[in-house]
């Protein structure tokens, strides 16, 4: 099935519009409009086809949003998310190194693990029964030692 010249021009206009947008709603609207232009394969002027298809696709998307309300990601707690983000290889490798390196004492290793879970100084200070100022100092020294040790490990 060949597209009419006007439908081809309408698709070109929609593609140009998509290049200017980065919002998912608008891109989905343009995608649905493109499907409609192809399905109808009309002979009316291209700007009219674009306007009409965008209006129809906007209506469909608004109805969908009414059926399934959108929750901003900022309002979703970590334990409520449907899936979790996977760590990249470098992060996994670094965590493995932290677990196996002889650089740290048992207590320092526990502190490093706790830092990866919850970096709140007040919580960590309370867990180790020291002042927040002392905890910041301990973390700073631990990080410096870890950087030096990791650099030695990776360069040798």
């Amino acid at each position: 099935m060949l597209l009419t010249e006007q439908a081809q021009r309408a698709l070109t206009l929609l593609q140009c519009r998509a290049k200017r947008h980065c919002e998912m709603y608008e891109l989905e609207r343009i995608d649905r409009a493109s499907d409609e232009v192809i399905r109808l394969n009309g002979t009316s002027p291209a700007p009219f086809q674009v306007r009409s298809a965008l209006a129809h696709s906007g209506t469909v998307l608004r109805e969908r949003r009414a059926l399934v309300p959108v929750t901003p990601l900022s309002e979703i707690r970590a334990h409520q998310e449907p899936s979790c983000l996977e760590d990249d290889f470098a992060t996994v490798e670094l965590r493995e190194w932290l677990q196996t390196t002889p650089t740290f004492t048992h207590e320092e290793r526990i502190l490093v693990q706790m830092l990866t879970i919850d970096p709140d100084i007040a919580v960590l200070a309370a867990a180790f029964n020291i002042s927040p100022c002392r905890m910041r100092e301990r973390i700073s020294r631990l990080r410096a030692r870890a950087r030096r040790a990791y650099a030695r490990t990776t360069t040798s």
Side-chain angles (χ1 to χ4, degrees), residues 18-102:
K19 288 179 184 177
R20 294 190 311 264
H21 292 280
C22 61
E23 183 193 18
M24 287 306 297
Y25 173 79
E26 189 63 25
L27 291 174
E28 188 170 352
R29 186 173 163 229
I30 292 168
D31 186 50
R32 291 187 66 86
S34 298
D35 290 344
E36 184 169 332
V37 167
I38 291 170
R39 183 177 51 82
L40 295 177
N41 198 16
T43 57
S44 55
F48 175 79
Q49 287 186 47
V50 169
R51 249 189 342 270
S52 175
L54 284 173
H56 290 142
S57 62
T59 302
V60 170
L61 292 177
R62 277 190 299 279
E63 288 173 0
R64 182 188 302 164
R65 283 188 172 183
L67 291 173
V68 180
V70 176
T71 305
L73 290 176
S74 60
E75 293 178 11
I76 298 176
R77 294 192 179 119
H79 67 279
Q80 293 175 323
E81 291 184 30
S83 63
C84 64
L85 297 175
E86 291 186 18
D87 292 330
D88 61 350
F89 182 74
T91 305
V92 172
E93 185 179 348
L94 184 59
R95 284 188 180 151
E96 180 66 26
W97 177 82
L98 287 170
Q99 294 300 317
T100 59
T101 184

Side-chain angles (χ1 to χ4, degrees), residues 119-128 130 132 135-136:
D120 185 11
I121 299 295
V123 172
L124 293 172
F128 283 86
I130 59 174
M135 180 53 71
R136 280 189 199 86

